[in-house]
Amino acid sequence: MRRRRHKRKNCHVVIVTSDAVDTSTKHFRIKPWVVETFVLLISVAAGAVIGYFLFEQDLPREEVVHNNQQREELIAELEEENVALQTQIAELTNTVQILSDTVIQKAESENSLTERLEQQYIPTEFPVTSRAQFEEITEGNPMLVFTTAKSTMVVVTANGTVTAVNDDGEYGHNVWVDHGNGYVTIYRNQGEVMVKQGETVRQGSTLFISNEENSKLGYQVMKDGEYINPMDVLAING
C-alpha cells in the first residue's frame, strides 16, 4: 500500500517574550489567510485615509479658485458699472451746468430788459432835442428854465400818460405827464401843444415845437407828490 502524504500546513508563528529573566516565552500560531486579510484591511484603510486627505486638500483649492474667479468677474463688472455711472454723472453735471448757465443768462437778460424798461419810465432824458442853456431855480418849487434854439422840439423825458393840458399864465401852456412810478413831469411852454389829455406818450415824444417867440421851457419834476430838483434825475451829456 502507498503511504498517504499529509498536506503540509503553513502557519505563522508569533513569539511573545519579555526582557525579564524569569519570563516564559509564548508562541502564537496564526493562519496565513488571517495575516493576509489583516494586511489587506490595513492597506485599504491607509489608502482611504490618504485619499480622503488628498481629496479634502484638492476640493477647497478648486473652490477657492472658482470663488476667486467669480470675485474677479464681479469686481470687473462693478468697475464697468462705476465707470458708466461716472460718465453719466459727468454728462448730467454738464447738462445741469448748461441749464444753469442758460437760466442765469435768461434771468440776467430778463433783469436787464426789466431794468431798461423801468429806466424808460424814469425822467432822466433831456426835455429838448438840441443844445440849450438852462437856469436852475431852487426857490419855491424847483424848476429848470431852458432857453432853446429856433425850431427845437420839447419832448417827454420818459414813458407815461398825459394827465393834464392846461393854460399857463407865464408860459402859455403846461402839460403834465404821469410815469406810473411816482414820477410826474411838468412842461411849460408857449408853443402849440402836440398831445391831448389821456394820451400815452413814449420817451422822446414831441410835446411842443418852440420858435423865436416861445424859446423858454419851464421843466419840473415831482416824486410821490413832492417837487424835487430835476437835476437829481436828469442825465446831462456834454
Side-chain angles (χ1 to χ4, degrees):
M1 296 179 61
R2 181 178 296 179
R3 182 180 296 177
R4 293 183 179 180
R5 293 182 178 180
H6 294 283
K7 187 176 181 180
R8 186 176 181 181
K9 297 181 180 180
N10 293 326
C11 294
H12 296 280
V13 178
V14 177
I15 300 175
V16 179
T17 184
S18 175
D19 57 355
V21 177
D22 55 349
T23 301
S24 60
T25 302
K26 295 183 180 181
H27 298 76
F28 296 93
R29 295 180 180 276
I30 302 175
K31 298 292 183 179
W33 65 269
V34 175
V35 175
E36 293 173 357
T37 302
F38 180 75
V39 172
L40 179 61
L41 292 174
I42 292 298
S43 299
V44 171
V49 171
I50 293 171
Y52 172 78
F53 281 105
L54 291 177
F55 179 76
E56 284 294 317
Q57 292 176 356
D58 292 339
L59 183 59
R61 186 179 300 111
E62 294 176 358
E63 291 181 352
V64 168
V65 172
H66 180 67
N67 292 337
N68 288 338
Q69 291 177 348
Q70 287 184 334
R71 184 167 59 251
E72 291 175 357
E73 292 176 356
L74 180 60
I75 291 173
E77 291 178 0
L78 291 175
E79 288 178 350
E80 291 179 358
E81 292 180 358
N82 183 52
V83 171
L85 288 174
Q86 292 296 331
T87 302
Q88 291 180 0
I89 290 172
E91 292 176 352
L92 290 174
T93 301
N94 187 42
T95 302
V96 169
Q97 185 62 45
I98 292 173
L99 291 175
S100 178
D101 293 341
T102 302
V103 170
I104 291 173
Q105 291 175 359
K106 185 177 180 181
E108 290 177 349
S109 298
E110 290 179 350
N111 291 336
S112 178
L113 179 59
T114 301
E115 289 177 359
R116 288 200 299 269
L117 291 174
E118 290 177 351
Q119 189 67 27
Q120 292 178 1
Y121 288 86
I122 300 175
T124 57
E125 296 302 311
F126 217 52
V128 293
T129 57
S130 65
R131 289 196 175 193
Q133 296 179 348
F134 65 88
E135 178 185 0
E136 184 178 355
I137 299 175
T138 58
E139 295 181 359
N141 296 328
M143 178 186 294
L144 294 181
V145 178
F146 291 86
T147 301
T148 64
K150 183 179 179 179
S151 300
T152 297
M153 291 183 291
V154 176
V155 296
V156 66
T157 55
N159 295 353
T161 304
V162 177
T163 56
V165 177
N166 303 313
D167 291 332
D168 192 292
E170 183 177 355
Y171 291 91
H173 308 283
N174 59 59
V175 175
W176 295 60
V177 178
D178 187 350
H179 303 285
N181 52 8
Y183 283 104
V184 175
T185 52
I186 304 102
Y187 309 80
R188 305 177 186 276
N189 187 260
Q190 293 181 357
E192 181 181 356
V193 180
M194 307 299 294
V195 293
K196 297 178 181 180
Q197 183 176 350
E199 184 177 345
T200 299
V201 291
R202 298 187 62 81
Q203 193 175 69
S205 297
T206 302
L207 301 178
F208 301 95
I209 297 178
S210 63
N211 51 42
E212 293 180 356
E213 288 77 19
N214 54 14
S215 60
K216 296 289 185 179
L217 168 67
Y219 177 67
Q220 294 175 295
V221 178
M222 299 181 70
K223 173 64 174 173
D224 299 327
E226 300 290 336
Y227 284 92
I228 64 173
N229 191 336
M231 294 294 293
D232 294 342
V233 290
L234 187 64
I236 300 179
N237 297 318

